[in-house]
């Protein structure tokens, strides 16, 4: 009974969000939760109602902090790292140069840095132009 009532509540909540008025080309993840849902809500500018749209196979919804009121779909666990800043092109930077193997690489389509790591046992160093990394 608990599962059925939870499912009904989720359906009612989703319907309520879908019925919300919206403007322009705005989009959001359901319940404003990143990395959870394989769908997102896209504003239909004609009806001013949110429509449910599916992310491509196996991907989940993430809010795009680089572009307010937009979303991106990506593999689970691949959401951007807002504290790393925004990016363009094929750039990367170390999280802690010379201290760990962790680094951030740019997903140019979203304008966000995502987490990556050097192979086990290697440390990350920024290149001389600070646009890429090297692992030693």
């Amino acid at each position: 009974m608990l599962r059925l009532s939870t499912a009904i509540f989720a359906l009612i909540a989703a319907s309520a969000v879908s019925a919300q008025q919206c403007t322009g080309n705005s989009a959001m993840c359901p319940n404003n939760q990143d990395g959870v849902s394989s769908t997102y809500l896209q504003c239909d500018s004609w009806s001013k109602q949110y429509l449910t749209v599916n992310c491509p196979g196996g991907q989940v919804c993430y809010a795009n902090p680089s572009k307010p009121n937009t979303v991106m779909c990506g593999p689970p666990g691949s959401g951007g790292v807002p504290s790393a800043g925004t990016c363009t092109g094929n750039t990367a930077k170390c999280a802690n140069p010379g201290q760990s193997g962790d680094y951030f690489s740019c997903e140019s389509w979203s304008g966000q840095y995502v987490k990556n790591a050097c192979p086990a046992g290697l440390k990350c160093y920024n290149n001389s132009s600070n646009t890429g990394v090297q692992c030693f």
Side-chain angles (χ1 to χ4, degrees), residues 7-127:
I8 290 171
F9 176 73
L11 180 60
I12 291 168
S15 297
V17 170
S18 296
Q20 284 181 357
Q21 292 285 307
C22 60
T23 58
N25 195 29
S26 62
M28 65 180 183
C29 298
N31 300 318
N32 290 316
Q33 292 184 317
D34 283 349
V36 176
S37 177
S38 62
T39 63
Y40 61 95
L41 301 170
Q42 178 70 53
C43 185
D44 174 42
S45 58
W46 179 78
S47 69
K48 297 186 177 12
Q49 300 290 313
Y50 281 107
L51 303 175
T52 301
V53 180
N54 292 319
C55 287
Q59 297 187 9
V60 293
C61 180
Y62 295 96
N64 188 343
S66 302
K67 299 173 186 170
N69 299 315
T70 64
V71 298
M72 58 186 193
C73 293
S78 69
V81 180
S83 62
T86 59
C87 60
T88 57
N90 188 23
T91 58
K93 63 183 181 179
C94 298
N96 296 301
Q99 303 298 311
S100 74
D102 296 332
Y103 67 95
F104 303 107
S105 61
C106 184
E107 278 188 334
S108 58
W109 60 271
S110 71
Q112 292 186 317
Y113 282 106
V114 294
K115 288 183 179 182
N116 278 296
C118 293
L122 300 180
K123 294 190 186 310
C124 180
Y125 297 89
N126 291 317
N127 67 11

